Amino acid sequence: MSLLVASLYLPHTIHFNLDDPRLVERVSSMPILSRSPSTASQPYDAPAQAPTESTSHLLSHSSVQSSAVPTPIPNFIRSLASRVTSTQNTPPASPPATADVEDFFFKLSTPPSVTSHSAPNLDSVSGIPGSNSAPSVEFERNFRSIYARSLKKAAAAAAAAAAASAGKNLQSPTINSNLSNGLSNLTISNIPDLTVSDDSSGITSPTSSSFSNGLLTPLVVTHPKSRASSPPPAKHLVTPRNKSIPDVPSLRIAPKKVEVSKSSPLDAASAFKNAPWSVVKYHKGNGGLRNAIARAEAEGTISNKRWIGTLGMPTDALEDATKKAIEEILLAEYQDAPVFVTDSTFEGHYTHYCKDILWPTFHYQIPDNPKSKAYEDHSWVHYHTLNTAFADRVVANYSPGDTIWVHDYHLLLVPGLVRKKIPDAKIGFFLHIAFPSSEVYRCLPTRKLLLRGMLGADVVGFQSNEYARHFRQTVQVVLGIAPNRDDTIDYEGRRVAVVAMAIGIDPLSLKLASEDPEVKRWRQMLRERWPDKKMIVGRDKLDQFRGVRHKMLGYERFLKSYPEYKENAIFIQVCLTNIASQDLESEVYDIVTRINSSTHVVSEPPVVFLHQDISFEQYLALLYEADVFVVTSLREGMNLTCHEYIFCQRETSKGPLILSEFTGSAAVLGDKCLLVNPWDRVQVADAFHKSLTMPEEEREERYEKLYSEVTTNTCAHWVRLFLNKLDKTWEEHHRKN
């Protein structure tokens, strides 16, 4: 007997080694490749079975790297920071020990056509008072006004140059200007006309400039102007969204700038015909599920399993012989059964129906919202097609006595489709995201079909009692089937159990990952970088459901009420690279800029905002060294990041957790953390203050309860509970019949 696990992605994918530059060019021009998002940081993995010798020649190790490209920290930040901390009269000959940490927290990631907006290099400008000693407070206070006046001069020079050279090739003007307060002999050069760029701002403005070794050069505006009364701080304190070449799982090509090929996408199929390939781990998709299955398998809860899913890569260009070879290797060596669908089917299913319709609706954005395409998009056909392909693959791999476990909103129809073909199958379904109230769900045009698909399972699982209750109520409202007193639902002669079982983390694998020397190195550098400050940390995707904007507004209000924390605390907010709303992105940047403009200490902003991926080692270091962790999601199934934070705090500060009451984790962790309503800025601000001033006795008491919850309800425990419930429900049904 086997466990058939059906989820959208397999835990492995294929790496094609395209060494021929001509093949790389042709493959890079394929339109379908544009759908793949940039790579997120790697999760930890439970021990995996090593490949056998029979296929070792086909395998190679490959690491998924962040698409962010680090660049050296501007000299201004390093030099100013070194002056503040150094007791010598002259700057150190070598960079301080925290240079790598500063590179990490202040690094930029910009496309080649965009130049970042940075502050002046004060070391290269003559005449600065106290340039060989600690800077005076007066100099720091005057810095912004000096910078603002220089930008005005640049704007004036640009306007004059544009008027004089209208319709002609512009020659780079050179304008000498003397500024007060110690900055002299400033040269303004290379002022262009107004041009339209492909950046989100759309306009290259001559008013956007930067200093570099005393030169003021034009730059691209990457965020709106601040509404603050004082000029904004250095642009490098707010990292722009990375726009580098996406990391496509199937084509792990070095990010080289290539010209768009004129070859037909169909012609690119020949690139894969004879290209060598290997099997690599796939780090996207549901990492919590992968860790849970791997840990349960390692502990013996699962003796034999087979994973069913897609490769997470475009496959139209692959020949049938290549697909067959891939399928044979994955089945023989990794117990993975790949599902092959056309690229257009996958695109319509995932990008359109799942992300434009199901995901917003399940997170309380009704389908007729202007941002939704529920009544305009015809991607339901693609959603149904992919679910049918999964169901057929499950049936093809099924043997009598096997257990089928289907996962998440991508495959809502699969349980019902499999039930029609195998009436006596033991089928479980688990939804990893939120399930909305019936008033929201019933706005979906396909509401009945989706519910009937889910009810094809013997057990339907959710992250919290709230979501399970919503499902039962929705079935009653939409299908007219009232739930039983024991919270089961009678459907087509079967009794379906509806349960709430929150998934957990894998503490053992997380502990092993934290012992990596690279994690310890980053932890040491974090302590050196901010030794006397309270470190507040957040890590989210920048989308409309994660509440990053609400978090920043709450922190802004907190600093207004308690301004002393502008210098006594540092808020590090990491936002993973994803396709974010331009309006939301600009608004968050504006809030961060406004907060950082409120302090006169340029080198130590209250908020360090990173809209880019960080390595898993850096992520763990942040969890260990943080004093407070903040999650303000507007709706979320289960936030395992905060569970990992609790586990990592065991040997450090045992810091408090600020958690939105609208997450599934709030139902698990309860009032042992600081629960907040993200829309209530006053409550969020008060939570920041309480977390930083909480007495040690209360902090430890709260933490011990949180730690016990996290280490008891692990991912392996979740697997055991669900499979036991599925076995019991299926046996009761067949005993009655």
Side-chain angles (χ1 to χ4, degrees):
M1 295 185 292
S2 300
L3 174 65
L4 304 182
V5 182
S7 65
L8 184 61
Y9 299 117
L10 292 174
H12 298 90
T13 189
I14 302 302
H15 172 202
F16 282 89
N17 301 305
L18 302 178
D19 297 328
D20 189 341
R22 293 173 297 177
L23 299 182
V24 173
E25 178 184 354
R26 287 155 59 187
V27 171
S28 300
S29 67
M30 296 174 64
I32 193 63
L33 300 186
S34 62
R35 68 167 166 82
S36 298
S38 54
T39 304
S41 55
Q42 300 181 25
Y44 57 90
D45 291 302
Q49 182 179 1
T52 61
E53 295 181 0
S54 61
T55 57
S56 60
H57 63 283
L58 293 175
L59 308 178
S60 65
H61 298 285
S62 176
S63 62
V64 182
Q65 298 179 351
S66 169
S67 56
V69 180
T71 57
I73 178 175
N75 290 334
F76 163 68
I77 292 295
R78 182 180 290 116
S79 61
L80 188 56
S82 64
R83 291 198 205 98
V84 173
T85 58
S86 176
T87 58
Q88 303 295 330
N89 293 329
T90 58
S94 59
T98 60
D100 290 340
V101 180
E102 294 173 354
D103 288 346
F104 163 50
F105 285 111
F106 295 103
K107 66 185 178 182
L108 300 178
S109 179
T110 57
S113 59
V114 179
T115 308
S116 59
H117 186 182
S118 58
N121 180 350
L122 299 185
D123 285 340
S124 62
V125 182
S126 60
I128 300 178
S131 59
N132 293 327
S133 60
S136 64
V137 175
E138 185 65 23
F139 167 70
E140 290 191 13
R141 291 179 177 175
N142 290 338
F143 168 73
R144 299 185 188 279
S145 61
I146 298 171
Y147 185 40
R149 288 198 299 271
S150 67
L151 293 181
K152 290 181 180 180
K153 289 181 180 293
S165 60
K168 301 180 180 180
N169 293 329
L170 179 63
Q171 300 296 328
S172 300
T174 301
I175 301 176
N176 293 325
S177 174
N178 292 324
L179 299 180
S180 58
N181 296 305
L183 290 177
S184 60
N185 299 324
L186 184 67
T187 302
I188 301 176
S189 62
N190 301 326
I191 304 297
D193 289 325
L194 292 176
T195 57
V196 178
S197 69
D198 57 358
D199 189 71
S200 58
S201 60
I203 296 179
T204 302
S205 171
T207 61
S208 300
S209 309
S210 72
F211 287 88
S212 178
N213 297 322
L215 301 180
L216 187 63
T217 55
L219 299 166
V220 174
V221 176
T222 57
H223 64 86
K225 293 182 179 180
S226 171
R227 293 193 294 267
S229 57
S230 59
K235 175 63 180 71
H236 54 265
L237 301 182
V238 181
T239 306
R241 179 162 59 96
N242 177 38
K243 297 182 180 179
S244 59
I245 299 175
D247 185 325
V248 182
S250 62
L251 310 172
R252 302 182 186 278
I253 306 168
K256 298 179 180 179
K257 185 178 180 181
V258 296
E259 299 295 334
V260 178
S261 173
K262 298 181 180 179
S263 303
S264 168
L266 296 177
D267 181 55
S270 61
F272 300 98
K273 184 174 183 180
N274 299 314
W277 53 271
S278 57
V279 179
V280 296
K281 287 185 177 181
Y282 189 59
H283 291 288
K284 294 189 182 185
N286 195 331
L289 173 61
R290 289 197 306 269
N291 293 331
I293 296 298
R295 177 52 55 195
E297 192 173 16
E299 293 182 358
T301 303
I302 300 174
S303 58
N304 189 18
K305 69 99 173 61
R306 178 166 294 183
W307 208 295
I308 299 174
T310 69
L311 294 175
M313 55 177 273
T315 57
D316 281 355
L318 303 182
E319 293 187 342
D320 292 340
T322 303
K323 293 180 182 179
K324 184 177 180 180
I326 291 173
E327 179 180 344
E328 291 176 352
I329 292 298
L330 289 177
L331 279 173
E333 302 299 335
Y334 298 94
Q335 295 78 49
D336 289 351
V339 177
F340 292 104
V341 294
T342 63
D343 296 341
S344 60
T345 295
F346 187 93
E347 185 78 4
H349 163 275
Y350 182 79
T351 305
H352 296 284
Y353 197 81
C354 288
K355 288 303 181 182
D356 285 344
I357 297 177
L358 286 184
W359 178 268
T361 303
F362 278 39
H363 290 80
Y364 285 77
Q365 184 181 99
I366 59 176
D368 60 353
N369 185 290
K371 297 181 180 180
S372 177
K373 299 180 180 179
Y375 296 129
E376 303 174 4
D377 200 288
H378 301 284
S379 55
W380 166 255
V381 175
H382 297 297
Y383 185 85
H384 186 275
T385 300
L386 185 137
N387 275 253
T388 301
F390 263 81
D392 292 342
R393 193 65 167 147
V394 170
V395 172
N397 284 269
Y398 177 82
S399 297
D402 287 350
T403 299
I404 302 169
W405 196 2
V406 185
H407 290 269
D408 228 357
Y409 67 107
H410 315 98
L411 306 176
L412 296 178
L413 301 178
V414 171
L417 294 173
V418 173
R419 180 67 64 187
K420 291 180 180 179
K421 298 185 177 182
I422 315 177
D424 295 332
K426 185 190 303 181
I427 306 174
F429 176 82
F430 192 89
L431 185 68
H432 291 264
I433 65 173
F435 192 89
S437 69
S438 60
E439 291 303 302
V440 175
Y441 177 87
R442 67 189 184 131
C443 296
L444 283 170
T446 56
R447 55 191 184 179
K448 291 186 178 181
L449 296 175
L450 295 174
L451 287 179
R452 288 169 180 162
M454 297 173 69
L455 289 173
D458 295 294
V459 177
V460 181
F462 299 89
Q463 298 281 20
S464 70
N465 287 319
E466 177 187 0
Y467 304 150
R469 183 179 69 253
H470 286 169
F471 177 77
R472 292 190 293 267
Q473 293 172 345
T474 300
V475 170
Q476 183 174 8
V477 171
V478 176
L479 298 181
I481 303 175
N484 301 313
R485 291 186 177 181
D486 59 354
D487 294 335
T488 59
I489 297 174
D490 291 330
Y491 181 74
E492 294 185 344
R494 295 179 297 104
R495 177 153 292 186
V496 180
V498 181
V499 299
M501 294 180 181
I503 191 174
I505 62 173
D506 183 7
L508 178 58
S509 295
L510 191 61
K511 179 63 176 178
L512 293 175
S514 66
E515 295 174 356
D516 190 315
E518 188 69 8
V519 175
K520 297 179 180 179
R521 186 176 74 89
W522 279 107
R523 290 182 59 186
Q524 177 65 27
M525 289 191 294
L526 283 170
R527 288 194 294 266
E528 293 177 358
R529 180 63 181 86
W530 291 290
D532 301 321
K533 287 193 174 187
K534 293 291 186 179
M535 187 182 301
I536 307 171
V537 174
R539 179 179 180 265
D540 313 87
K541 290 182 180 179
L542 186 57
D543 62 32
Q544 54 190 322
F545 307 110
R546 305 295 178 171
V548 177
R549 170 182 170 273
H550 302 72
K551 185 189 302 186
M552 291 295 105
L553 289 173
Y555 191 66
E556 182 181 33
R557 188 180 186 95
F558 160 69
L559 291 181
K560 288 182 178 179
S561 301
Y562 306 95
E564 64 272 17
Y565 284 99
K566 293 179 182 179
E567 300 182 9
N568 297 333
I570 184 74
F571 191 172
I572 303 172
Q573 174 63 49
V574 178
C575 285
L576 306 181
T577 54
N578 65 305
I579 303 175
S581 165
Q582 295 296 324
D583 293 339
L584 174 63
E585 189 176 18
S586 298
E587 192 169 1
V588 171
Y589 283 167
D590 191 32
I591 297 170
V592 174
T593 300
R594 198 165 61 229
I595 295 174
N596 288 341
S597 299
S598 64
T599 179
H600 67 278
V601 183
V602 181
S603 62
E604 295 292 337
V607 177
V608 173
F609 186 86
L610 293 173
H611 191 182
Q612 62 188 72
D613 300 331
I614 61 176
S615 70
F616 188 65
E617 292 77 16
Q618 294 167 344
Y619 162 68
L620 283 182
L622 284 173
L623 294 187
Y624 271 97
E625 298 305 320
D627 295 291
V628 181
F629 195 83
V630 191
V631 176
T632 54
S633 301
L634 307 184
R635 290 286 171 183
E636 190 170 7
M638 186 64 58
N639 188 294
L640 294 182
T641 302
C642 64
H643 294 233
E644 293 171 350
Y645 163 76
I646 294 170
F647 180 80
C648 293
Q649 285 285 300
R650 184 67 175 177
E651 61 181 64
T652 54
S653 61
K654 300 181 180 180
L657 170 66
I658 300 176
L659 181 63
S660 167
E661 63 187 61
F662 299 104
T663 64
S665 297
V668 176
L669 303 178
D671 57 2
K672 297 178 283 294
C673 50
L674 301 178
L675 295 178
V676 296
N677 176 358
W679 284 276
D680 189 343
R681 300 183 192 177
V682 176
Q683 186 183 34
V684 175
D686 291 343
F688 276 113
H689 182 256
K690 184 174 182 178
S691 66
L692 295 174
T693 59
M694 184 180 295
E696 182 177 356
E697 182 179 353
E698 179 184 356
R699 186 176 72 249
E700 291 188 357
E701 181 181 357
R702 286 175 177 265
Y703 177 80
E704 291 302 327
K705 294 179 180 178
L706 291 172
Y707 183 81
S708 175
E709 188 72 38
V710 167
T711 54
T712 300
N713 296 319
T714 63
C715 61
H717 178 68
W718 169 75
V719 172
R720 288 194 298 270
L721 280 181
F722 190 92
L723 294 182
N724 288 339
K725 179 64 177 179
L726 180 56
D727 290 340
K728 182 179 179 181
T729 302
W730 186 83
E731 290 172 359
E732 288 179 353
H733 168 70
H734 283 269
R735 185 168 55 249
K736 291 180 180 179
N737 292 340

